[in-house]
Amino acid sequence: MTPADLSRCVVRAVRRAVEDGELPAETVVPERVVVERTRPGGVGDYATPVAFQVAKGVGCPPRGVADVLARLLGEVPGIERADVTGAGFLNFTLGPRSVVGLVRDIRERGTRYGYADGAVETEPFCWERAAGLRQRAVHEAAVRLLRSQGEGYGGPWPGVAPVAKRDGDVVARYGPDAVRWAALTVPARETPHFDDRLLVQGETSELFRVRYAHARSRALLRNAAGLGFDPEAGDVPGAHGLVQTLADYPLVLEAAAHHRAPERLARHLVEVADALLDFQHCVLPKGDEKPSAAHRARLALAEAAGTVLAGGLALLGMDAPERL
């Protein structure tokens, strides 16, 4: 059970509840449900406020809707528990995710990992919506995210705070990628800050860490090839943090598209990068150690993390260098 699977399961549970008469016949079944990581102090792994959305349309108490859905979802394989908290929040505890399945899924889908089945291919950007550098950066990234989830770019757009300085001056000083990153890492209504920290090529720079982590994943593959072994999906004990960030990636894409909030994706890429940089030191054999199944499995996980970083940067409009 992946987070994206969970979202689809919730939609099916609403539909089943309507068909079985447990929810009113006039209930509108949502096409998509936003599921997010449980906040600190919450219950379980993931949560959704879908019961409020469903209840509002039919005049039912959200708690009653949530109780119906929790009972149905508690029967779904892969969901260990479905709890209701507060006035009607659904909370889920999932069974452990197979590292092998996760890595194979990422390797099979490549940089399109996390895309919906109905992902929309390229089409012209709607330039009249975005006059300045910041507006263009936010709208382009939001369009890419929406397309990745099979949606067009109609509907309401967030107001975007402009860049305080002239666009050309900012790009000339800091470079297009650094400016784009700064523009996309704060909510659209907040004004981004451009200063000399954007010129730093070191661990204090989030963009540098993301791109460096991708370059490290590719360097690990090159070095492993030189030692005569290739990546192969397998269990990787002790890598829970990295595995969790990769498993959450499809959910992050869905939420970033739904809220038209590229900063959610940017923040998550930093988490993936930091987890990979902490993990990288155990990937290759040390000293006289011979390559083993454990090394191949760790290499496959590092490769998968690099693929996610490359895909996320592409959605934000930036490249992922092989060497840095």
Side-chain angles (χ1 to χ4, degrees):
M1 173 70 68
T2 68
D5 292 334
L6 178 58
S7 179
R8 290 188 284 270
C9 284
V10 175
V11 172
R12 288 196 292 269
V14 177
R15 185 177 296 110
R16 177 181 165 188
V18 174
E19 293 172 350
D20 292 348
E22 296 191 75
L23 292 178
E26 63 271 21
T27 299
V28 177
V29 179
E31 293 184 4
R32 234 174 236 187
V33 169
V34 174
V35 177
E36 299 180 311
R37 289 288 293 175
T38 303
R39 296 178 181 178
V43 175
D45 301 315
Y46 299 95
T48 178
V50 66
F52 296 90
Q53 177 185 349
V54 171
K56 183 178 180 180
V58 292
C60 296
R63 179 82 190 204
V65 173
D67 286 338
V68 169
L69 297 179
R71 179 173 52 76
L72 295 175
L73 288 162
E75 302 170 357
V76 175
I79 299 179
E80 291 189 352
R81 291 189 56 178
D83 298 295
V84 180
T85 58
F89 290 95
L90 273 169
N91 300 263
F92 306 99
T93 302
L94 302 186
R97 178 76 193 271
S98 163
V99 178
V100 175
L102 173 65
V103 170
R104 286 177 177 169
D105 188 19
I106 295 173
R107 296 187 76 187
E108 179 181 338
R109 304 196 68 178
T111 54
R112 291 176 67 85
Y113 167 66
Y115 282 38
D117 292 338
V120 179
E121 295 301 327
T122 57
E123 55 185 271
F125 285 109
C126 196
W127 292 109
E128 67 271 13
R129 296 181 185 271
L133 179 151
R134 174 89 193 289
Q135 290 87 341
R136 287 198 301 274
V138 172
H139 288 178
E140 283 184 14
V143 167
R144 291 190 190 94
L145 285 163
L146 287 164
R147 290 175 184 164
S148 79
Q149 301 305 302
E151 300 179 29
Y153 51 76
W157 284 83
V160 180
V163 173
K165 302 176 184 178
R166 289 194 304 173
D167 290 353
D169 293 342
V170 172
V171 173
R173 178 164 181 77
Y174 303 114
D177 282 348
V179 169
R180 185 178 292 272
W181 180 264
L184 294 175
T185 50
V186 297
R189 293 186 181 278
E190 296 182 14
T191 301
H193 296 287
F194 300 94
D195 55 41
D196 287 351
R197 286 176 293 182
L198 295 175
L199 300 174
V200 174
Q201 296 295 296
E203 62 181 15
T204 59
S205 165
E206 290 183 339
L207 176 57
F208 177 85
R209 295 206 306 275
V210 170
R211 299 176 90 177
Y212 178 66
H214 174 267
R216 284 299 304 148
S217 74
R218 274 36 197 171
L220 290 170
L221 289 168
R222 293 192 298 271
N223 292 338
L227 294 172
F229 74 99
D230 296 317
E232 183 178 333
D235 290 329
V236 185
H240 175 75
L242 180 56
V243 170
Q244 191 63 65
T245 61
L246 300 183
D248 283 348
Y249 181 73
L251 196 59
V252 171
L253 291 190
E254 186 174 37
H258 177 79
H259 294 288
R260 291 164 170 75
E263 72 274 7
R264 294 188 177 214
L265 172 56
R267 286 198 301 266
H268 191 72
L269 293 182
V270 175
E271 293 179 15
V272 174
D274 288 344
L276 175 56
L277 291 174
D278 286 340
F279 173 75
Q280 63 164 329
H281 306 289
C282 69
V283 173
L284 299 178
K286 294 181 174 63
D288 295 332
E289 192 177 13
K290 300 296 183 184
S292 65
H295 293 112
R296 291 192 291 272
R298 293 173 198 150
L299 181 62
L301 181 59
E303 178 190 37
T307 298
V308 166
L309 291 172
L313 285 170
L315 286 170
L316 296 178
M318 287 171 271
D319 66 343
E322 295 284 318
R323 290 177 169 83
L324 194 63

